[in-house]
Amino acid sequence: MYGLVNQAIEDLIRRNHGDEVWDAVKRKAGVDVEVFVSMEAYPDAVSYSLVGAASELLGAPAAELLEAFGEHWTLYTAQKGYGDLLRTGGSTFKGFMQNLHNLHTHVALSFPHLTPPSFWCTDVTDSSMTLHYQSTREGLGPMVVGLVRGLGRMFDTEVSITPTRTRADGADHDTFLLTFAAKTPA
Ligand code: HEM
């Protein structure tokens, strides 16, 4: 995956656990990269090894870390100059989710070697939808849970997300039930 992803993993671990833990995670993962370059494509194994090593060192399930990472991603990309791109995705949580597939089509213009995930929505009502997530990569469903929570925060919308089908259970892609409501002033 692009270095931007590994940079965001690094940023999250440094912020929450400090520089020494990050150095230990890299050592344990066997990742000998001093500085990740955001626009360089690294083998997926680098990102998976970092998450695996952090999980062991911190004694936290990888799914928990992936969820935290997903939540961090919307903040991180906005800070790193992709805020305008995020904003073109829509002005409401619901609209943004329905446009998610097009977002990565735009992202691919800047990241030519991107292997993007696919997202689509069904059963859409004013307050709920089923989100479908398909990827060539395994095990990133928890990241989607965190991403959706981060997007809820970005749009000041209360969101609940429940996985309904997962590839681990034999489905060909993951699905999530989302319920949401824009926050009203107290
Ligand atoms: C403007 C903001 C964003 C940028 C610049 C961006 C960019 C990227 C990049 C570079 C990757 C690595 C893929 C690769 O290197 O092949 C990635 C992966 C991913 N992105 Fe985005 N992304 C953005 C927003 C989002 C949002 C809002 C979601 C919400 C669901 C999302 C979901 C994912 C997921 C789940 C992956 C993991 C890859 C996979 O499932 O195969 N991204 N993105």
Side-chain angles (χ1 to χ4, degrees), residues 94 98 122-130 177-180:
K94 178 180 162 184
Q98 289 179 291
T122 57
D123 315 302
V124 179
T125 73
D126 282 347
S127 58
S128 66
M129 61 172 65
T130 298
L177 174 65
L178 270 56
T179 56
F180 47 88

Side-chain angles (χ1 to χ4, degrees), residues 1-2 4-5 73 77 82 85-86 96 100 103-104 107 111 114-115 117 119 133 135 137 140 143-144 147 151:
M1 285 199 263
Y2 271 99
L4 187 70
V5 172
W73 185 240
T77 47
Y82 299 100
L85 190 51
L86 272 177
F96 190 96
L100 204 48
L103 178 76
H104 279 95
V107 170
F111 295 85
L114 194 78
T115 310
F119 290 99
Y133 160 60
S135 171
R137 302 180 172 99
L140 299 182
M143 175 179 166
V144 174
L147 278 157
L151 291 170

